[in-house]
Structure formats: C-alpha cells, structure tokens
Amino acid sequence: MTDPHDQEIPGLRDWLDSVAEDLHLPSSVVVPGPLLDVARDVAHGILRPGAPTTTYLIGVAVGLQLAGEDWSGEDVAELVNRLSYRVQDLASDYEPAAAAANQPTANGA
C-alpha cells in the first residue's frame, strides 16, 4: 500500500523500513500517514510534547491487538487508521480541565 506521505517526505519510507527491519518487524506495519496526521493534530491542537507519546500509545494499542494473531498488511493499516482517527476525534473535541477552569466567566470572574 502506498502512503501519500511517501511522496511528500522524501526518505521517510526508507528510514521507517530500515527501523522496522532492525526491530524485526514486517514492512507491512509501516503506516506513517495516519500517525503523522495524529501527531500534527496533537502538536498543534493540544500540546507539542504530546505528539510523540500519543503516537506511541497508538503503537502500543496496535501491538496489543495484534499479539498472537496473523494479520495481513492491509488489516494492520486499517487498524492503525481506525485508532488514529479515534485519537484525532478525541483531539478535536479535547478541552483540558485546567484550561477550562481558568477561563473567565461571563461576569469576568
């Protein structure tokens, strides 16, 4: 499966394929597009340091769901997409409790 980010970011696919190979992962798990989209949305909409750790949590969720199963590359990509979209939805609706508590009320207090 070709990812549109392969064309936008030269060298990305080569780097990720090298990392996957070194970590003894099949190349089918290299699905950068949805993870880059989540990282962008979290970095710009929530907070920058949350981007890498958010994508890490998606990776952990994918790994736990894949454990002991025989998934096709297409199924892995679909799982990454589905989880990424869920997190993007969460990010778009997220309102930090601390920020909400510090918002001025209608009477200025």
Side-chain angles (χ1 to χ4, degrees):
M1 177 187 309
T2 303
D3 190 301
H5 290 286
D6 290 350
Q7 308 308 320
E8 296 171 13
I9 307 171
L12 177 64
R13 174 63 58 174
D14 289 339
W15 165 248
L16 294 176
D17 285 341
S18 294
V19 172
E21 181 180 341
D22 191 69
L23 296 176
H24 307 286
L25 298 170
S27 62
S28 62
V29 301
V30 177
V31 188
L35 296 173
L36 290 171
D37 292 341
V38 166
R40 177 201 61 224
D41 292 349
V42 171
H44 296 286
I46 309 299
L47 70 160
R48 188 168 296 283
T53 49
T54 299
T55 57
Y56 164 78
L57 291 175
I58 291 171
V60 170
V62 168
L64 290 173
Q65 290 186 40
L66 296 178
E69 301 290 325
D70 187 24
W71 291 54
S72 72
E74 197 170 279
D75 291 338
V76 172
E78 174 56 34
L79 177 60
V80 171
N81 276 312
R82 187 166 29 94
L83 294 176
S84 296
Y85 293 139
R86 280 178 53 189
V87 173
Q88 281 182 292
D89 285 344
L90 177 65
S92 69
D93 296 335
Y94 183 75
E95 187 173 320
N102 293 328
Q103 294 294 323
T105 60
N107 65 6

